[in-house]
Amino acid sequence: MTATSLQFKPIPKQTPETNTLTRLCAEKLTLKHGKTSIIENLDVSLPEGKVTAIVGPNGCGKSTLLNGLSRIHSPSSGFVLLDGKDIHSLPSKEVARRLALLPQDTLAPDGITIEELIRFGRHPHQSLLKQWAMDDQQAINYALNAADLEGLKDRLLDTLSGGQRQRAWIAMSIAQETPLLLLDEPTSALDLGHQIEVFELIRNLSRQGKTLAMVVHDLPSACRYSDHIIAMKKGEIITQGSPKEVMTKELVRELYGVECDLIPDPMTGSPILINMKRVRS
Amino acid sequence: MISWFYIPPAQRPLFSVFVSALFVLALCCFCSLLFGAGGLSLQASFQTLLGNGSADTQFTVFHLRANRTLIGLFVGLTLGIAGALMQAVARNPLAEPGLLGVSAGSSLAVAITLVLGASTATLTVGVAQFGALLGCLCVLGVARMQGQQNDPIRLVLAGAALSSLLLAVTSLLLLFDQRAADEIRFWVTGSVAGRDTNTLFSVLPSMLIAIICILYTAKPLASLALGERVAIGLGHKPQRVRAVVIVAVALLVGGATAIAGPVAFIGLVVPFAARALVGPDIRRTLWLCLPLGPIIVISADVVSRLVAQPAEMPLGVLTAIIGAPVLLLIVRSRRMPTL
């Protein structure tokens, strides 16, 4: 099975929340590393049921923003609102039932199987008294199915390809059964085929009603696999909107100091960068 | 059982490995009742176990040796578990209460109260546990100063320095005290011989608290092995979990030290063996530490009675002889296992 021909099985659609407000947003958010502020007074919200890609040059604060939105990084001022409530005022477990996070610095313990990894995703639904229930196994089967890992569930994580491994981590987040999923550079360190494998899974999850946000480095992939792009530079949002509106020569130049031309992909219509040249600043 | 060899440790059936270890433990306890440094022959010991002993031999086997076995059981249990917990918290396979100065802190606290006038009989376990907690906080504080867990060996260096300092102060304090040299040696190297089993009862309530702490933290600790942020993403609170675990470690190590003095390397060897048998998941490792700790302490104690007959070697010396090579083995292994 080649990565490009990867077909995800149809999965029953999750009931979308009848909530017209965005579920996750930040208001006047300031995030600091020590004394240097990375992000100041930022307002941002994630559009419902869509894939949002956060792009920008290294050190622009995109991962910091993602950490802020997922309560890993506490704000110095301002708020992150989850369903209208301050995310830091909600119990952490409660947050974990609504928002899943896949960070970059994941560690895989020796000898863990895919299914065992996915089981960790059920932690927010368990407690000292409620250890393991039917719905846990159902959620795991659902996650295995959604990430197309059923045949591999007993394989050891370290014997898998990079793409399969990343899909296993995403499956762990799926088992968390949250309407929101944030991913920090889910395809970095993956080769082209595995990147597409992971991006297609992400797009599939959004079709089932999840709201996703991801930090992405590769602009063409960001355009192709997201519905909404947030472009950041020096801790500020320069522009945001649908890929076709937002992605311009001027933006690429502004973000990366790269001169280029944009042409639409003949098959999908999403922008492709050609004729790239670094501009001396 | 041989087929286990071909299965990766993390996938071996926990229950069967655990039960096999229990059998080995039973064997160790039996040997512990059978062998001794004293004049009692092997045959006489065996006859006594079968119920044909004189009052004298019965006292030796069912009182002296049984008590000793019981204390070895307790010390192995607590130190093994404490080592596994500490390694999970520090994400460092070398983090061991004995090496890092937790036991030494506990021992020093005891020495101070002894000098201040308490007698060994009136000593409270709480003092030892409080000292263990201080030792724990000291070494983790020192390790934190030099940044994020970049090098596992640094923590051990900091701990070794702290540990020798605390033990030196302990010996100094006790030298000024007018008591038998035996007593000094006990609080510096540790031993399970001739200890009072009544202390065991005074430790039990705090062990209950430690068990509750472990039940509360086992799952979050396991998820911390996937990465700090993953654990937060799953709704756990790493800082709180670490604090609770450190309290549990202090209770366990303090309890063990109050009873047997500072015994080093048990907390290193036991989790190392447990991981080799059932993999790195802390929930599995802890289960296996339960029988493995007593196995190692009791068998070390049996050997310590036999190697220097008719005298005995202190347990702490023997555990160091076993433990130091294991430490070198872990340090020298090409890929230091990450936890």
Side-chain angles (χ1 to χ4, degrees):
Chain A
M1 182 175 67
T2 61
T4 39
S5 69
L6 196 76
Q7 286 298 310
F8 293 103
K9 289 159 196 155
I11 293 156
K13 205 172 160 76
Q14 287 178 339
T15 46
E17 296 288 323
T18 49
N19 186 354
T20 47
L21 287 164
T22 57
R23 304 200 60 162
L24 187 65
C25 62
E27 281 178 10
K28 298 207 180 331
L29 184 68
T30 300
L31 297 169
K32 291 184 177 173
H33 272 307
K35 282 187 178 164
T36 31
S37 51
I38 309 293
I39 285 171
E40 242 173 291
N41 263 331
L42 193 85
D43 289 316
V44 67
S45 64
L46 300 183
E48 257 326 274
K50 292 192 170 164
V51 180
T52 301
I54 306 173
V55 298
N58 288 336
C60 71
K62 45 192 192 314
S63 286
T64 308
L65 175 62
L66 205 76
N67 283 337
L69 288 174
S70 55
R71 75 167 164 343
I72 296 224
H73 199 139
S74 304
S76 312
S77 66
F79 299 98
V80 172
L81 300 177
L82 177 62
D83 295 328
K85 283 190 190 126
D86 181 2
I87 198 165
H88 287 276
S89 72
L90 293 165
S92 190
K93 242 183 178 178
E94 179 59 41
V95 175
R97 286 195 283 264
R98 301 189 209 168
L99 180 150
L101 165 76
L102 185 58
Q104 236 181 309
D105 52 355
T106 55
L107 300 163
D110 286 339
I112 192 173
T113 66
I114 290 194
E115 191 174 357
E116 283 164 357
L117 179 69
I118 298 175
R119 264 188 213 160
F120 278 94
R122 298 305 295 166
H123 279 192
H125 300 271
Q126 296 165 346
S127 66
L128 208 56
L129 298 174
K130 181 185 170 291
Q131 285 291 336
W132 191 255
M134 275 302 287
D135 57 336
D136 289 325
Q137 193 55 50
Q138 278 166 7
I140 283 163
N141 293 343
Y142 176 87
L144 280 167
N145 186 317
D148 197 24
L149 289 166
E150 278 160 320
L152 301 170
K153 70 186 173 84
D154 294 321
R155 286 273 299 276
L156 298 184
L157 199 62
D158 33 11
T159 63
L160 300 176
S161 75
Q164 290 168 331
R165 218 176 297 156
Q166 192 63 325
R167 263 160 49 207
W169 282 102
I170 295 175
M172 185 189 87
S173 317
I174 299 172
Q176 236 173 299
E177 293 187 310
T178 58
L180 285 152
L181 172 56
L182 308 184
L183 307 107
D184 195 358
E185 296 191 28
T187 57
S188 66
L190 294 183
D191 69 30
L192 185 63
H194 294 149
Q195 281 187 22
I196 292 172
E197 190 179 328
V198 168
F199 278 130
E200 288 191 344
L201 171 58
I202 288 170
R203 194 164 58 187
N204 227 305
L205 289 174
S206 123
R207 286 189 186 138
Q208 290 154 33
K210 258 196 215 294
T211 303
L212 295 104
M214 56 182 176
V215 170
V216 190
H217 262 302
D218 183 46
L219 281 184
S221 308
C223 294
R224 176 138 189 230
Y225 294 102
S226 72
D227 312 298
H228 188 82
I229 284 189
I230 296 177
M232 289 183 72
K233 191 183 177 186
K234 290 182 181 154
E236 281 171 18
I237 294 178
I238 294 178
T239 177
Q240 55 178 319
S242 76
K244 278 179 196 163
E245 293 162 19
V246 167
M247 202 47 65
T248 59
K249 287 172 71 159
E250 291 72 29
L251 181 71
V252 178
R253 188 193 174 104
E254 158 116 50
L255 287 181
Y256 300 101
V258 168
E259 199 71 72
C260 73
D261 289 313
L262 292 170
I263 54 163
D265 181 327
M267 308 301 284
T268 62
S270 81
I272 298 179
L273 281 66
I274 56 161
N275 198 17
M276 288 178 276
K277 239 180 283 161
R278 178 83 164 139
V279 193
R280 294 265 167 92
S281 51
Chain B
M1 211 162 154
I2 292 161
S3 64
W4 289 349
F5 187 76
Y6 301 102
I7 309 174
Q11 298 304 321
R12 288 180 192 146
L14 179 63
F15 184 75
S16 339
V17 181
F18 180 72
V19 170
S20 318
L22 280 185
F23 274 114
V24 177
L25 176 59
L27 196 71
C28 286
C29 291
F30 179 68
C31 290
S32 176
L33 294 177
L34 212 56
F35 297 105
L40 204 55
S41 74
L42 197 59
Q43 190 132 33
S45 302
F46 192 66
Q47 286 301 325
T48 312
L49 273 181
L50 292 178
N52 312 324
S54 66
D56 240 16
T57 60
Q58 277 187 350
F59 179 77
T60 306
V61 172
F62 292 116
H63 188 77
L64 293 182
R65 290 184 191 167
N67 276 357
R68 203 172 163 155
T69 309
L70 204 62
I71 284 170
L73 202 76
F74 176 79
V75 170
L77 216 67
T78 48
L79 290 181
I81 296 280
L85 290 175
M86 215 163 165
Q87 286 159 26
V89 162
R91 318 255 336 236
N92 182 341
L94 301 176
E96 196 264 328
L99 284 180
L100 294 193
V102 182
S103 306
S106 179
S107 208
L108 178 61
V110 170
I112 290 172
T113 48
L114 282 179
V115 168
L116 290 178
S119 72
T120 323
T122 58
L123 260 185
T124 53
V125 176
V127 171
Q129 288 169 333
F130 182 69
L133 187 61
L134 288 187
C136 241
L137 294 178
C138 265
V139 73
L140 290 178
V142 170
R144 182 146 292 196
M145 274 196 289
Q146 31 95 27
Q148 303 257 315
Q149 19 122 359
N150 39 14
D151 186 0
I153 299 182
R154 283 192 170 192
L155 177 68
V156 179
L157 279 180
L162 180 72
S163 189
S164 354
L165 178 72
L166 295 178
L167 284 180
V169 176
T170 307
S171 351
L172 192 69
L173 281 178
L174 291 172
L175 277 174
F176 284 121
D177 205 42
Q178 299 297 315
R179 276 175 241 221
D182 238 22
E183 192 70 0
I184 299 174
R185 192 189 64 192
F186 174 76
W187 291 110
V188 177
T189 55
S191 160
V192 291
R195 304 310 301 170
D196 187 6
T197 36
N198 284 334
T199 339
L200 272 183
F201 293 106
S202 54
V203 177
L204 288 182
S206 58
M207 292 306 109
L208 204 66
I209 301 175
I211 290 170
I212 294 169
C213 289
I214 294 167
L215 286 178
Y216 171 72
T217 53
K219 222 183 233 181
L221 260 186
S223 73
L224 265 176
L226 303 179
E228 179 105 6
R229 289 171 209 218
V230 176
I232 300 175
L234 291 173
H236 298 303
K237 295 198 161 134
Q239 295 299 344
R240 187 193 291 176
V241 168
R242 282 195 199 99
V244 173
V245 170
I246 285 169
V247 168
V249 168
L251 291 175
L252 292 166
V253 177
T257 309
I259 288 172
V263 183
F265 288 107
I266 298 296
L268 179 82
V269 177
V270 172
F272 175 75
R275 277 194 297 273
L277 285 170
V278 294
D281 189 318
I282 186 77
R283 291 165 294 186
R284 290 164 60 88
T285 313
L286 283 177
W287 272 112
L288 214 68
C289 283
L290 292 177
L292 278 187
I295 286 176
I296 290 175
V297 170
I298 292 173
S299 51
D301 183 44
V302 170
V303 172
S304 79
R305 294 175 219 168
L306 298 180
V307 284
Q309 275 178 329
E312 285 185 16
M313 210 189 250
L315 178 69
V317 174
L318 202 83
T319 56
I321 293 174
I322 307 171
V326 175
L327 178 71
L328 293 178
L329 190 73
I330 303 176
V331 173
R332 279 193 54 96
S333 60
R334 188 169 285 265
R335 192 176 66 102
M336 180 109 83
T338 48
L339 295 176

